[in-house]
Amino acid sequence: MEHIFFPPLSRIAVCGGTHGNEMSGVYLVREWQKQKVDESGALSITTVLSNPPAVNVCRRYTQTDLNRCFTNALLSSPITDTTPYEMRRAQELNAQLGPKGSEKAMDLLIDIHNTTANMGLCLIFYSSDLMMLHIYKYIQSKMPSVPVRAIIMDIPLSEAFSLESVGKHGFAIEVGPQPNGVLRADIFNLVKKSLDLAFEWIQEFNSGCTFKAGEVEAFTFVKSVDYPRDPATGEITAAIHPQLQDADFKLLRRGDPIFLSFSGETVKYDGEDNYPYFVNECAYYESKTAFKLAEKTTMTFPSISVKN
Amino acid sequence: MEHIFFPPLSRIAVCGGTHGNEMSGVYLVREWQKQKVDESGALSITTVLSNPPAVNVCRRYTQTDLNRCFTNALLSSPITDTTPYEMRRAQELNAQLGPKGSEKAMDLLIDIHNTTANMGLCLIFYSSDLMMLHIYKYIQSKMPSVPVRAIIMDIPLSEAFSLESVGKHGFAIEVGPQPNGVLRADIFNLVKKSLDLAFEWIQEFNSGCTFKAGEVEAFTFVKSVDYPRDPATGEITAAIHPQLQDADFKLLRRGDPIFLSFSGETVKYDGEDNYPYFVNECAYYESKTAFKLAEKTTMTFPSISVKN
């Protein structure tokens, strides 16, 4: 297998508060803004609180979901008086940290998220990014006591909608379970540790280490499953079944219970065997997603090192 | 010890959505509004979604916390154009379910709440209500696999601020942990079960059963403890320590860790031995409460039966 050279990672952005009620990123970014000094001299670290008005009111967003606004189409659409705040803010962030797809973009953009689902620590990134597989493998190998997983989105970069797509490389850290508006020390420390490891990897990479070829397991999106709903009112009529609740990434088989209706009936799964994730994520009630399903795949990657 | 007679409990109100993002009550009340028929013929059950505008936007409240608006002073204050929605709604609910302290008030008012804290199932009521001790003991005895506790508020009824104080008798059901905006089937079923048991007790009481004198353990509020904060900005500088997180109602002793600062220092408890509860409750960040402390007491109560 070929060996690949990448330019050094010099300009790094760490973002939090892209969703204003996901507290790990909000407090980590605030803490870094107080403390962080550039220890190596070679790295430039930019910390960004992505959506301050949403953070101030402790809501996911004020007018529309900021983390769906980073497609090429939305980033280039004209701003008018009626443009939602978050669409304007996305263009500001793109100017500051991108422009997406350009030479001026951050070398690496890390965006910190939380979920109410029992997902442990996940790295989410786009399929085209081999370097992320190396960072993922590194973090996973150094945190053996924690479930660390990769979720790979198979979307062309132009249609990639999330903030991390603005960097030349990027990933989201998605950690749970943590209620919105709540900060848990255990979750905070997981995120802090994974960030420290990412920066450790960056230092090693920039200093000339070769990272060997290898393979990792990763999850890729198959489909979303909605709650059962009353056809007349649209209201949900069942909750996630206790056997599926908190069982993110445990293989779901045909016949397994997935919902328990308010009147007590069990709804069983009748699809292909797949891995559920984002099970009972708070923010997905409005987007009609009770859980998502993924396939598990093995990704192989070539050895890489820095091109100076 | 004397025996006490109470009039029958004929008119019962079950309320949910007093806080619009606490989903157990919202869905239980909606479900009851579809299904409930008066089985006994003797009971009149009123179900109320207390704060519909807050439920619609899935927030605790729209302008001010509804569940702090039921003091005599606020219930009798004049309504003007600038009166917050929830203060007006409190007066509406008082007209419908009370008036508080009057003969016309509901015989029993049950209000359903959730918390992000690991509090199990709690019944919260005012100290003057002996009947509640009986209902509490009954529910606890019938749910042996679940931690069922009583929290007794020692406030004169005129200053009692919460919705359940509008009924002749009343209690709040407080269940957790459940994130705001999320419905968990396990928590939903706990609430459903405790309500079914409360109605079972009411039927037995109304039909002439004598409930024996006895005693129960209960918790009474001592004080609230705030997060460590930056004196300049007011922002919190520490999270609940992992050893205290999820440890509601476990005795806290001098020297036990209570906070972990974002830079890694442990803050230890230096007060009297007490029982923490509402540990890391989402809604209490804004009211500057990291956790509350309670004393455990033993409450004795006389035998009771119905006076027909």
Side-chain angles (χ1 to χ4, degrees):
Chain A
M1 197 187 267
E2 62 183 335
H3 177 89
I4 299 191
F5 293 96
F6 284 103
L9 300 172
S10 306
R11 297 163 59 240
I12 320 284
V14 178
C15 305
T18 303
H19 293 136
N21 55 7
E22 299 179 5
M23 305 315 279
S24 302
V26 172
Y27 284 104
L28 257 162
V29 161
R30 281 185 180 156
E31 192 58 20
W32 275 37
Q33 288 178 336
K34 283 185 213 162
Q35 296 188 343
K36 211 64 187 180
V37 288
D38 183 351
E39 290 151 15
S40 74
L43 276 190
S44 151
I45 300 174
T46 304
T47 51
V48 178
L49 201 62
S50 312
N51 194 340
V55 170
N56 287 343
V57 292
C58 199
R59 289 180 204 148
R60 185 173 174 88
Y61 55 79
T62 65
Q63 296 183 284
T64 191
D65 189 335
L66 176 60
N67 213 33
R68 303 292 179 273
C69 292
F70 295 93
T71 60
N72 285 9
L74 288 177
L75 288 176
S76 60
S77 60
I79 299 290
T80 69
D81 287 354
T82 58
T83 303
Y85 166 74
E86 278 82 2
M87 276 178 61
R88 283 185 281 128
R89 180 63 177 152
Q91 296 194 11
E92 275 177 31
L93 290 168
N94 188 48
Q96 183 189 353
L97 307 173
K100 177 173 169 174
S102 78
E103 263 313 297
K104 287 180 61 190
M106 288 282 160
D107 295 324
L108 175 64
L109 197 159
I110 305 173
D111 194 28
I112 306 169
H113 289 264
N114 292 124
T115 173
T116 59
N118 184 28
M119 282 170 57
L121 179 66
C122 294
L123 267 54
I124 307 181
F125 48 90
Y126 291 91
S127 52
S128 50
D129 201 334
L130 290 175
M131 183 186 275
M132 290 309 102
L133 293 171
H134 278 278
I135 294 181
Y136 164 56
K137 180 152 196 174
Y138 186 85
I139 292 175
Q140 190 187 46
S141 70
K142 302 272 183 171
M143 296 178 77
S145 64
V146 176
V148 183
R149 299 183 182 94
I151 300 170
I152 298 184
M153 293 196 286
D154 197 14
I155 302 176
L157 204 66
S158 62
E159 289 164 40
F161 47 76
S162 50
L163 175 54
E164 68 272 15
S165 71
V166 167
K168 290 199 192 86
H169 303 275
F171 62 92
I173 299 178
E174 182 73 75
V175 198
Q178 179 170 273
N180 293 342
V182 164
L183 182 72
R184 289 180 63 104
D186 51 358
I187 301 284
F188 183 84
N189 286 340
L190 280 187
V191 178
K192 203 166 166 177
K193 177 77 181 166
S194 65
L195 277 177
D196 288 347
L197 289 169
F199 277 93
E200 201 175 283
W201 187 91
I202 293 164
Q203 302 277 12
E204 292 185 20
F205 174 79
N206 285 347
S207 69
C209 290
T210 294
F211 293 90
K212 286 187 210 161
E215 59 177 48
V216 285
E217 266 182 3
F219 293 89
T220 56
F221 173 77
V222 174
K223 65 172 181 174
S224 296
V225 178
D226 190 14
Y227 292 92
R229 290 180 189 269
D230 183 317
T233 63
E235 278 169 15
I236 68 172
T237 57
I240 295 285
H241 192 280
Q243 269 183 253
L244 178 58
Q245 178 69 50
D246 305 324
D248 299 71
F249 297 111
K250 289 189 183 135
L251 186 63
L252 187 66
R253 295 175 187 276
R254 192 180 299 273
D256 287 345
I258 52 176
F259 295 111
L260 184 62
S261 84
F262 299 146
S263 45
E265 293 97 47
T266 293
V267 177
K268 293 184 174 174
Y269 179 62
D270 70 351
E272 303 289 310
D273 289 6
N274 271 317
Y275 294 86
Y277 66 113
F278 280 121
V279 175
N280 210 352
E281 156 57 33
C282 181
Y284 291 171
Y285 281 76
E286 71 175 19
S287 54
K288 299 194 188 306
T289 298
F291 57 91
K292 297 190 181 194
L293 287 169
E295 285 174 344
K296 187 152 74 172
T297 59
T298 300
M299 310 283 289
T300 58
F301 49 80
S303 64
I304 68 171
S305 61
V306 73
K307 173 182 64 186
N308 277 312
Chain B
M1 194 185 268
E2 63 184 332
H3 177 88
I4 298 192
F5 293 95
F6 285 104
L9 300 172
S10 306
R11 295 163 58 243
I12 320 285
V14 177
C15 305
T18 302
H19 292 136
N21 55 7
E22 299 179 5
M23 305 316 279
S24 302
V26 171
Y27 284 105
L28 257 163
V29 162
R30 281 185 180 157
E31 193 58 19
W32 275 37
Q33 288 178 336
K34 281 185 215 162
Q35 296 188 342
K36 211 64 185 181
V37 288
D38 183 351
E39 289 152 16
S40 75
L43 277 190
S44 150
I45 301 173
T46 305
T47 51
V48 178
L49 200 64
S50 310
N51 194 339
V55 170
N56 287 343
V57 293
C58 200
R59 290 180 204 147
R60 185 172 174 87
Y61 55 79
T62 64
Q63 296 183 285
T64 191
D65 190 336
L66 175 61
N67 212 34
R68 302 293 178 271
C69 292
F70 295 92
T71 61
N72 285 8
L74 288 177
L75 289 176
S76 60
S77 61
I79 300 290
T80 69
D81 287 353
T82 58
T83 304
Y85 166 74
E86 277 83 2
M87 277 178 59
R88 284 185 280 129
R89 179 64 177 154
Q91 296 195 9
E92 275 177 28
L93 289 168
N94 189 47
Q96 183 189 354
L97 306 174
K100 177 173 169 174
S102 79
E103 263 313 297
K104 285 180 63 191
M106 287 283 160
D107 295 322
L108 175 64
L109 196 159
I110 305 172
D111 193 27
I112 306 167
H113 288 264
N114 292 123
T115 172
T116 59
N118 183 28
M119 283 170 57
L121 179 67
C122 292
L123 267 52
I124 307 182
F125 47 90
Y126 292 92
S127 54
S128 51
D129 202 334
L130 290 175
M131 184 186 275
M132 290 309 101
L133 294 171
H134 278 279
I135 294 181
Y136 163 56
K137 180 152 195 175
Y138 186 84
I139 293 175
Q140 190 187 47
S141 70
K142 301 272 184 174
M143 296 178 76
S145 63
V146 177
V148 183
R149 299 182 181 93
I151 300 169
I152 297 184
M153 293 197 285
D154 198 12
I155 303 176
L157 204 64
S158 63
E159 289 164 41
F161 46 76
S162 48
L163 175 54
E164 66 273 15
S165 71
V166 168
K168 290 198 191 87
H169 304 275
F171 62 92
I173 299 177
E174 183 72 76
V175 198
Q178 179 170 271
N180 293 342
V182 165
L183 182 72
R184 287 181 63 104
D186 52 358
I187 301 283
F188 182 85
N189 286 340
L190 280 187
V191 178
K192 203 167 168 180
K193 176 77 181 168
S194 65
L195 278 177
D196 287 345
L197 289 169
F199 277 92
E200 199 174 284
W201 187 92
I202 293 164
Q203 302 276 12
E204 291 186 19
F205 173 79
N206 285 347
S207 68
C209 291
T210 294
F211 293 90
K212 287 186 206 161
E215 58 178 48
V216 286
E217 269 183 0
F219 293 89
T220 57
F221 174 77
V222 173
K223 66 171 180 172
S224 296
V225 179
D226 191 14
Y227 292 92
R229 289 179 189 269
D230 183 318
T233 64
E235 278 169 16
I236 70 173
T237 57
I240 296 286
H241 193 280
Q243 267 182 253
L244 179 58
Q245 178 70 50
D246 306 323
D248 299 72
F249 297 110
K250 289 191 183 135
L251 187 63
L252 187 66
R253 295 174 187 278
R254 192 181 299 272
D256 288 345
I258 51 175
F259 296 111
L260 182 63
S261 84
F262 300 146
S263 45
E265 293 96 47
T266 293
V267 177
K268 291 183 176 175
Y269 180 62
D270 70 351
E272 303 290 310
D273 289 5
N274 271 318
Y275 294 86
Y277 66 113
F278 280 121
V279 175
N280 209 351
E281 157 56 34
C282 180
Y284 292 172
Y285 280 77
E286 72 174 20
S287 55
K288 298 195 190 305
T289 297
F291 56 92
K292 298 190 180 194
L293 287 169
E295 286 175 344
K296 187 153 73 174
T297 60
T298 300
M299 310 285 287
T300 58
F301 48 81
S303 63
I304 68 169
S305 60
V306 73
K307 174 181 64 184
N308 278 310

